[in-house]
Amino acid sequence: QTMHVIGDSHVMGFEALETYFPRYKISMCCVQGATASGLQNPHSTTLAGPIINEYVEKNVKPKDAVLVHLGEVDCGFLMWVRAERNGISIEDQTELTLSNYFSLLSKIGEITTDVFVLSIVPQTIKDGSFIENVANLRGHISATQKERTALSIQMNRRLHGFAGQHNLRFIDLDSELIDQVTGVVKDFYLNENAADHHLSAKKLIPLIASAIRKLRRPQTF
């Protein structure tokens, strides 16, 4: 059997899930810079929609498991840029982004019942910090780390609700990853490389594996 991991660069390193689920071969579909809002745009810069759709159609089978993880780029950058440059409200973009994400999840859910949706990870880039390449883009938005994190929390609540209504399992890591006092990600989960804006994979993956085990159906994993 296969566990497919589908997402943006934040799923890099998730091959290590094979250690926790030796019955499953981990198959990766990682599209750098992929956004949930761009899934329905065949001409998006990353071509995430066509790439992911083709992967799902060719590779996902009814007995497979699928872990999907998108949305960090939307909450951390794209939605804010569109709001500031084009005057599109965050509320309107939230609906568009979630609609596109829901469509993908529904498509996968029609193929297999073992679908896990991982919560959008909280923003790691602190206000005023510089991370090469990423900061060159994200430094142009005025939203604070706390505001960006609050948006991801809001989106996760909606994703959680959708998953519950459509027989999907939602992995909600917000309570563990986010400091309830500061409203942003706990330093403990930041990447060991200060120049890398992704969370620490070696600390994140055990949380994901534990959540999958708790949510698994009988006779699986």
Side-chain angles (χ1 to χ4, degrees):
Q1 286 177 282
T2 301
M3 180 188 294
H4 303 274
V5 178
I6 298 171
D8 57 19
S9 62
H10 291 272
V11 302
M12 290 190 303
F14 281 25
E15 297 94 336
L17 285 167
E18 201 164 54
T19 303
Y20 296 88
F21 305 108
R23 286 178 51 196
Y24 283 77
K25 172 190 174 183
I26 306 298
S27 178
M28 302 290 295
C29 178
C30 173
V31 183
Q32 299 269 356
T35 65
S37 58
L39 287 173
Q40 300 298 319
N41 179 6
H43 306 295
S44 70
T45 303
T46 64
L47 296 177
I51 291 171
I52 292 174
N53 282 314
E54 181 178 9
Y55 177 88
V56 169
E57 291 167 4
K58 288 186 175 181
N59 298 285
V60 178
K61 304 296 187 291
K63 291 186 177 181
D64 292 344
V66 182
L67 173 65
V68 190
H69 182 45
L70 290 166
E72 190 279 339
V73 182
D74 299 273
C75 294
F77 171 64
L78 187 60
M79 294 170 71
W80 301 100
V81 167
R82 286 177 173 167
E84 294 179 8
R85 290 182 181 174
N86 305 324
I88 305 172
S89 73
I90 293 295
E91 291 75 20
D92 287 345
Q93 292 186 73
T94 296
E95 297 308 316
L96 171 64
T97 301
L98 287 173
S99 175
N100 290 346
Y101 201 172
F102 292 164
S103 293
L104 172 65
L105 295 174
S106 295
K107 179 175 183 175
I108 297 171
E110 291 174 357
I111 302 173
T112 174
T113 58
D114 272 331
V115 183
F116 297 86
V117 184
L118 179 60
S119 58
I120 300 168
V121 292
Q123 301 298 310
T124 62
I125 301 176
K126 298 180 183 295
D127 298 340
S129 66
F130 178 82
I131 295 181
E132 192 173 0
N133 296 328
V134 174
N136 287 341
L137 295 171
R138 302 195 186 195
H140 296 294
I141 62 176
S142 59
T144 65
Q145 182 185 15
K146 189 171 183 178
E147 288 172 331
R148 289 180 275 120
T149 302
L151 178 58
S152 70
I153 293 172
Q154 175 191 344
M155 298 265 283
N156 282 335
R157 288 176 182 153
R158 294 282 300 280
L159 283 169
H160 198 167
F162 179 85
Q165 294 169 0
H166 293 81
N167 200 32
L168 312 175
R169 270 73 56 79
F170 186 73
I171 300 173
D172 190 352
L173 298 184
D174 279 350
S175 61
E176 174 58 37
L177 299 178
I178 299 173
D179 187 306
Q180 298 306 306
V181 175
T182 64
V184 299
V185 66
K186 297 174 183 175
D187 286 346
F188 175 78
Y189 289 106
L190 297 179
N191 199 286
E192 292 75 16
N193 175 4
D196 191 334
H197 76 290
H198 301 91
L199 294 178
S200 167
K202 72 177 185 180
K203 293 177 179 176
L204 184 62
I205 288 170
L207 296 179
I208 297 170
S210 176
I212 289 175
R213 286 194 175 119
K214 289 177 182 177
L215 291 168
R216 75 187 187 278
R217 296 194 170 95
Q219 310 306 316
T220 60
F221 303 101

